[in-house]
Amino acid sequence: PFVYIFLRWYFKSAFEDPVLRADIPALEKLYPITNRVLLVKCGCVLFCVILSFFLHPVTHLDPAWVSILGAVWLLTIFDMHH
């Protein structure tokens, strides 16, 4: 908490810069999610990878291997036929 308060005080001008403010509804209109099925698949892979990170004491799988397997799994799920 102290570090957050200090950084917020130290970089006050960057936090208050109106140019850096994001207009979320405008961004959602500009960049809509077009492939909901792929979003769900990626969410499932992300959930499994994070779950595997937390299960490291039980499974003894190295987190680096888990993340690499998750990336490979995402590459196989992403069916690009354009």
Side-chain angles (χ1 to χ4, degrees):
F2 173 73
V3 173
Y4 175 74
I5 293 170
F6 172 74
L7 289 175
R8 184 95 177 169
W9 170 77
Y10 192 75
F11 295 108
K12 186 182 352 179
S13 62
F15 280 105
E16 295 172 354
D17 191 7
V19 176
L20 297 178
R21 295 243 180 236
D23 187 18
I24 301 299
L27 288 174
E28 287 176 346
K29 285 182 181 179
L30 190 60
Y31 303 107
I33 296 174
T34 57
N35 193 347
R36 299 243 182 228
V37 175
L38 184 62
L39 177 67
V40 171
K41 288 179 183 179
C42 292
C44 291
V45 171
L46 181 65
F47 174 76
C48 291
V49 168
I50 291 174
L51 182 67
S52 298
F53 286 162
F54 284 114
L55 291 177
H56 171 69
V58 177
T59 61
H60 301 292
L61 284 172
D62 194 42
W65 282 110
V66 171
S67 61
I68 289 172
L69 290 174
V72 170
W73 192 12
L74 278 176
L75 288 173
T76 57
I77 284 177
F78 185 65
D79 195 24
M80 191 166 71
H81 289 133
H82 294 277

